[in-house]
Amino acid sequence: IRWHTGGVRLPAALVAAAALAVGIGAAPAQASEGSVPVEVADYVAAPDGLLAALDDFYGVGENGTGLDFDETTTTGQIDRVFAFAPAWLAGQQVDPPVELTNEWTVPVSIGDEPVGLAILWINPATVEPELADFVPDRDVAAALAAVADGTFVVHDAPRSAWFLLAPPDLTPVVSGTSGISGPSTLSVYQGLLAGPTPAAVDRGPSFASVLSVGTIVGVALIVILVLLLPLATRRRRAPDDPPEPDEG
């Protein structure tokens, strides 16, 4: 994720503490699991908040690229983002299998057409919500436009994957390198992550080893030819041996 904070990364404990502190005053409950602080909701709604940041960082620039975040730009449901708990990733059975992160997602549309997903965080240095990243993917934005009640939005960052989790059902929004391409379950995915390391494939002798053996054989043949061929040639050209005298 590209944090718009001057490139400063802060300790995870400080990030979590700041998110928890701001989360004390929560906005009205959303359909998905997790709280939405009032400050985050206000940042999304403010004219100089999320939409202004999107236009600054991802809007049409001097080179003519980017999205035109005009007056028809709207934002959708705000969802708290979760990550799989380390204990669950280690193969343990924990409830819940996820933990809070300092992230929230907001689908963005232009003219009623989804254009991407904004990801927000609370900057621990200022304890203020900010735009962290923007994923210009309309399918992802559409998938997270109306997350059902009791569903977790899960970001599996190491595998660049996004899921909707309604335990035990797990549905990929972005598969990434997770190996999950369709509806699955927690137990299936946990087993996939904890699966045995594939056995090494025997690819036969390498080109280098074949080359080294061939070199040795070639040198040996040259030595044999150099040493024995002249001897054989001289042997063929030598006069016949005189006959042995008769006995008696």
Side-chain angles (χ1 to χ4, degrees), residues 117-133:
L117 187 72
I119 302 173
L120 315 181
W121 80 319
I122 293 175
N123 186 341
T126 62
V127 197
E128 295 290 340
E130 294 177 355
L131 175 65
D133 200 6

Side-chain angles (χ1 to χ4, degrees), residues 84 161-166 168-190 192:
F84 289 114
W162 288 84
F163 296 96
L164 292 178
L165 171 63
D169 298 324
L170 188 67
T171 303
V173 176
V174 177
S175 295
T177 59
S178 66
I180 300 293
S181 59
S184 187
T185 64
L186 276 171
S187 60
V188 169
Y189 191 42
Q190 189 180 49
L192 183 62

Side-chain angles (χ1 to χ4, degrees), residues 10-73:
L10 295 143
L14 183 59
V15 172
L20 181 60
V22 177
I24 292 175
Q30 303 294 302
S32 63
E33 290 294 321
S35 62
V36 177
V38 170
E39 289 83 351
V40 171
D42 290 345
Y43 176 75
V44 172
D48 58 347
L50 174 59
L51 296 185
L54 285 171
D55 190 49
D56 286 342
F57 290 105
Y58 300 98
V60 177
E62 295 179 356
N63 57 4
T65 61
L67 293 171
D68 185 10
F69 295 102
D70 58 19
E71 66 278 359
T72 67
T73 304

Side-chain angles (χ1 to χ4, degrees), residues 141-167:
L144 298 181
V147 180
D149 185 24
T151 300
F152 297 90
V153 175
V154 183
H155 185 198
D156 188 354
R159 282 155 283 276
S160 302
W162 288 84
F163 296 96
L164 292 178
L165 171 63

Side-chain angles (χ1 to χ4, degrees), residues 84-98 186-187 190-191 193-194:
F84 289 114
W88 185 85
L89 290 171
Q92 300 177 29
Q93 297 300 318
V94 293
D95 187 21
V98 294
L186 276 171
S187 60
Q190 189 180 49
L193 295 178

Side-chain angles (χ1 to χ4, degrees), residues 202-218:
D202 183 6
R203 302 182 183 278
S206 65
F207 175 76
S209 63
V210 172
L211 182 61
S212 62
V213 172
T215 301
I216 294 172
V217 173

